[in-house]
Amino acid sequence: LCHRLLRLHHNDAGLVQGFQIIDMQDQVACIKRLLKSLNVDLEIIIPKELQRFINNAKEQGLRPNDIEDVNGFNRQYIELYEAYDSQCQREGVVDFGELLLRSVELLQRHNELRHHYQNRFQHILIDEFQDTNALQYKWLDLLTGEQSSVFAVGDDDQSIYAFRGADVSNMARFEKDFH
Protein backbone atom coordinates (compact mmCIF):
# COMPACT_ATOMS: atom_id res chain seq x y z
CA LEU A 1 0.00 0.00 0.00
CA CYS A 2 2.88 2.37 0.79
CA HIS A 3 4.42 1.57 -2.57
CA ARG A 4 1.20 2.41 -4.41
CA LEU A 5 0.73 5.58 -2.37
CA LEU A 6 4.24 6.79 -3.19
CA ARG A 7 3.92 5.89 -6.88
CA LEU A 8 0.75 7.97 -7.12
CA HIS A 9 2.12 10.89 -5.11
CA HIS A 10 5.85 10.71 -5.85
CA ASN A 11 6.17 14.49 -6.35
CA ASP A 12 4.59 15.29 -2.99
CA ALA A 13 6.78 12.63 -1.39
CA GLY A 14 9.96 14.12 -2.91
CA LEU A 15 10.69 11.09 -5.10
CA VAL A 16 11.45 10.71 -8.78
CA GLN A 17 8.63 9.13 -10.77
CA GLY A 18 10.54 5.95 -11.60
CA PHE A 19 12.01 5.33 -8.15
CA GLN A 20 13.22 1.79 -7.53
CA ILE A 21 12.83 -0.31 -4.38
CA ILE A 22 15.96 -1.96 -3.05
CA ASP A 23 15.90 -5.11 -0.94
CA MET A 24 18.11 -5.83 2.06
CA GLN A 25 21.01 -7.15 -0.05
CA ASP A 26 20.87 -4.15 -2.38
CA GLN A 27 20.80 -1.90 0.66
CA VAL A 28 24.01 -3.44 2.01
CA ALA A 29 25.64 -3.03 -1.42
CA CYS A 30 24.53 0.61 -1.48
CA ILE A 31 25.99 1.15 1.99
CA LYS A 32 29.28 -0.47 0.96
CA ARG A 33 29.51 1.83 -2.08
CA LEU A 34 28.84 4.80 0.17
CA LEU A 35 31.47 3.81 2.70
CA LYS A 36 34.06 3.21 -0.02
CA SER A 37 33.29 6.56 -1.65
CA LEU A 38 33.87 8.24 1.71
CA ASN A 39 37.06 6.24 2.36
CA VAL A 40 35.57 4.68 5.49
CA ASP A 41 37.30 1.51 6.67
CA LEU A 42 34.81 -1.37 6.33
CA GLU A 43 36.34 -3.03 9.37
CA ILE A 44 35.65 0.00 11.55
CA ILE A 45 32.15 0.71 10.25
CA ILE A 46 30.63 -2.64 9.38
CA PRO A 47 28.04 -2.23 6.60
CA LYS A 48 25.48 -4.57 8.19
CA GLU A 49 25.75 -2.70 11.50
CA LEU A 50 25.16 0.61 9.74
CA GLN A 51 22.24 -0.99 7.90
CA ARG A 52 20.78 -2.10 11.23
CA PHE A 53 21.25 1.41 12.67
CA ILE A 54 19.52 3.03 9.67
CA ASN A 55 16.65 0.53 9.58
CA ASN A 56 16.07 0.79 13.34
CA ALA A 57 15.96 4.57 13.09
CA LYS A 58 13.48 4.43 10.21
CA GLU A 59 11.29 1.92 12.06
CA GLN A 60 11.08 4.47 14.86
CA GLY A 61 10.23 7.23 12.37
CA LEU A 62 13.56 9.01 12.84
CA ARG A 63 15.50 10.94 10.23
CA PRO A 64 19.18 11.65 10.92
CA ASN A 65 18.48 15.07 12.45
CA ASP A 66 15.93 13.48 14.84
CA ILE A 67 18.44 11.11 16.44
CA GLU A 68 19.95 12.20 19.72
CA ASP A 69 23.72 11.96 19.76
CA VAL A 70 24.61 11.03 23.31
CA ASN A 71 28.21 12.05 24.09
CA GLY A 72 29.23 11.78 20.43
CA PHE A 73 28.61 8.03 20.49
CA ASN A 74 26.32 7.96 17.44
CA ARG A 75 27.76 10.95 15.57
CA GLN A 76 29.46 8.98 12.80
CA TYR A 77 26.48 6.65 12.30
CA ILE A 78 24.12 9.64 12.14
CA GLU A 79 26.34 11.36 9.57
CA LEU A 80 26.53 8.17 7.51
CA TYR A 81 22.74 7.75 7.72
CA GLU A 82 22.42 11.28 6.35
CA ALA A 83 24.91 10.51 3.54
CA TYR A 84 23.02 7.27 2.80
CA ASP A 85 19.74 9.19 2.49
CA SER A 86 21.37 11.66 0.10
CA GLN A 87 22.85 8.86 -1.99
CA CYS A 88 19.49 7.06 -2.22
CA GLN A 89 17.79 10.30 -3.23
CA ARG A 90 20.39 10.89 -5.98
CA GLU A 91 20.07 7.31 -7.23
CA GLY A 92 16.26 7.32 -7.10
CA VAL A 93 16.02 4.30 -4.79
CA VAL A 94 14.16 3.57 -1.58
CA ASP A 95 14.60 0.73 0.90
CA PHE A 96 11.70 -0.95 2.67
CA GLY A 97 11.88 1.28 5.74
CA GLU A 98 11.85 4.34 3.50
CA LEU A 99 8.60 3.22 1.85
CA LEU A 100 6.80 3.38 5.16
CA LEU A 101 8.62 6.44 6.52
CA ARG A 102 7.94 8.49 3.36
CA SER A 103 4.31 7.42 3.43
CA VAL A 104 3.93 8.56 7.03
CA GLU A 105 5.66 11.86 6.30
CA LEU A 106 3.49 12.36 3.21
CA LEU A 107 0.27 11.83 5.17
CA GLN A 108 1.49 14.06 8.00
CA ARG A 109 2.32 16.96 5.66
CA HIS A 110 -0.68 16.83 3.34
CA ASN A 111 -4.00 17.12 5.17
CA GLU A 112 -6.09 16.93 2.01
CA LEU A 113 -4.34 13.76 0.89
CA ARG A 114 -4.65 12.23 4.35
CA HIS A 115 -8.39 12.98 4.45
CA HIS A 116 -8.80 11.48 0.99
CA TYR A 117 -7.29 8.17 2.12
CA GLN A 118 -9.11 8.22 5.44
CA ASN A 119 -12.36 8.40 3.48
CA ARG A 120 -11.21 5.79 0.97
CA PHE A 121 -10.21 3.21 3.59
CA GLN A 122 -13.20 3.11 5.89
CA HIS A 123 -12.61 -0.53 6.88
CA ILE A 124 -9.09 -1.63 7.79
CA LEU A 125 -7.97 -5.13 8.80
CA ILE A 126 -4.54 -5.73 10.29
CA ASP A 127 -3.28 -9.28 10.70
CA GLU A 128 -0.31 -10.26 12.90
CA PHE A 129 -0.75 -7.02 14.83
CA GLN A 130 1.67 -8.18 17.53
CA ASP A 131 4.49 -7.72 15.00
CA THR A 132 3.85 -4.04 14.21
CA ASN A 133 6.43 -1.40 15.05
CA ALA A 134 6.02 2.22 16.15
CA LEU A 135 6.07 3.61 12.62
CA GLN A 136 3.47 1.14 11.37
CA TYR A 137 1.24 2.12 14.27
CA LYS A 138 1.67 5.80 13.40
CA TRP A 139 0.80 5.01 9.76
CA LEU A 140 -2.36 3.21 10.89
CA ASP A 141 -3.29 6.18 13.05
CA LEU A 142 -2.87 8.53 10.07
CA LEU A 143 -4.94 6.32 7.75
CA THR A 144 -7.88 6.02 10.09
CA GLY A 145 -10.49 8.71 10.08
CA GLU A 146 -13.28 9.34 12.53
CA GLN A 147 -15.60 7.07 10.53
CA SER A 148 -13.04 4.26 10.09
CA SER A 149 -13.66 0.77 11.33
CA VAL A 150 -10.42 -0.96 12.32
CA PHE A 151 -10.07 -4.64 13.14
CA ALA A 152 -6.77 -6.07 14.35
CA VAL A 153 -5.82 -9.70 14.82
CA GLY A 154 -2.82 -10.57 16.94
CA ASP A 155 -1.47 -12.76 19.72
CA ASP A 156 1.08 -11.25 22.08
CA ASP A 157 2.44 -14.74 22.82
CA GLN A 158 3.38 -15.07 19.14
CA SER A 159 5.45 -11.89 18.83
CA ILE A 160 8.71 -12.90 17.16
CA TYR A 161 9.94 -9.70 15.51
CA ALA A 162 11.15 -7.63 18.46
CA PHE A 163 14.61 -7.69 16.85
CA ARG A 164 13.02 -5.81 13.90
CA GLY A 165 11.37 -3.22 16.09
CA ALA A 166 8.03 -4.97 16.64
CA ASP A 167 6.40 -3.61 19.76
CA VAL A 168 3.83 -5.91 21.33
CA SER A 169 2.63 -2.99 23.48
CA ASN A 170 0.93 -1.69 20.31
CA MET A 171 -1.80 -4.22 21.13
CA ALA A 172 -2.60 -2.49 24.43
CA ARG A 173 -2.38 0.93 22.75
CA PHE A 174 -4.77 -0.27 20.06
CA GLU A 175 -7.39 -1.19 22.64
CA LYS A 176 -7.10 2.28 24.17
CA ASP A 177 -6.84 4.29 20.93
CA PHE A 178 -9.39 2.42 18.79
CA HIS A 179 -12.14 1.54 21.28
Side-chain angles (χ1 to χ4, degrees):
L1 188 56
C2 291
H3 176 234
R4 289 181 62 189
L5 180 74
L6 294 177
R7 285 278 179 226
L8 288 170
H9 307 286
H10 61 89
N11 280 334
D12 292 327
L15 293 169
V16 296
Q17 183 174 6
F19 72 87
Q20 298 295 311
I21 301 170
I22 57 175
D23 63 17
M24 298 291 273
Q25 288 177 316
D26 292 334
Q27 185 186 27
V28 170
C30 188
I31 288 170
K32 285 179 180 178
R33 278 194 325 275
L34 172 70
L35 295 176
K36 286 179 185 177
S37 74
L38 297 173
N39 295 318
V40 174
D41 187 342
L42 298 182
E43 291 186 23
I44 294 174
I45 300 291
I46 297 165
K48 284 196 178 237
E49 287 180 12
L50 179 57
Q51 178 188 38
R52 201 169 305 116
F53 177 83
I54 291 168
N55 290 341
N56 286 338
K58 287 182 180 189
E59 288 169 1
Q60 295 173 52
L62 302 174
R63 291 288 182 196
N65 59 346
D66 299 324
I67 301 171
E68 186 177 346
D69 182 23
V70 181
N71 298 325
F73 180 75
N74 287 330
R75 174 63 20 219
Q76 190 170 21
Y77 273 65
I78 294 168
E79 290 170 358
L80 291 170
Y81 175 14
E82 192 167 19
Y84 169 79
D85 269 358
S86 295
Q87 176 177 304
C88 288
Q89 189 69 30
R90 279 190 313 275
E91 294 178 0
V93 298
V94 295
D95 56 47
F96 293 124
E98 189 70 18
L99 285 173
L100 186 59
L101 184 53
R102 287 263 179 150
S103 295
V104 165
E105 292 169 342
L106 178 67
L107 293 174
Q108 285 175 322
R109 282 193 315 267
H110 297 281
N111 292 334
E112 188 174 307
L113 194 61
R114 182 175 64 250
H115 293 302
H116 167 77
Y117 284 105
Q118 287 174 343
N119 290 326
R120 182 169 179 195
F121 299 113
Q122 294 180 5
H123 303 284
I124 299 172
L125 167 66
I126 306 109
D127 193 16
E128 303 294 341
F129 194 74
Q130 75 276 0
D131 293 326
T132 58
N133 62 34
L135 190 60
Q136 290 167 328
Y137 193 91
K138 182 175 223 138
W139 183 68
L140 172 65
D141 189 46
L142 288 166
L143 272 181
T144 54
E146 291 187 24
Q147 302 302 315
S148 296
S149 173
V150 183
F151 187 86
V153 178
D155 180 352
D156 55 357
D157 289 333
Q158 302 238 347
S159 182
I160 59 171
Y161 290 108
F163 69 95
R164 279 197 196 157
D167 185 358
V168 75
S169 71
N170 283 344
M171 293 180 74
R173 284 183 61 199
F174 179 85
E175 288 183 45
K176 185 179 74 104
D177 294 345
F178 295 93
H179 52 281

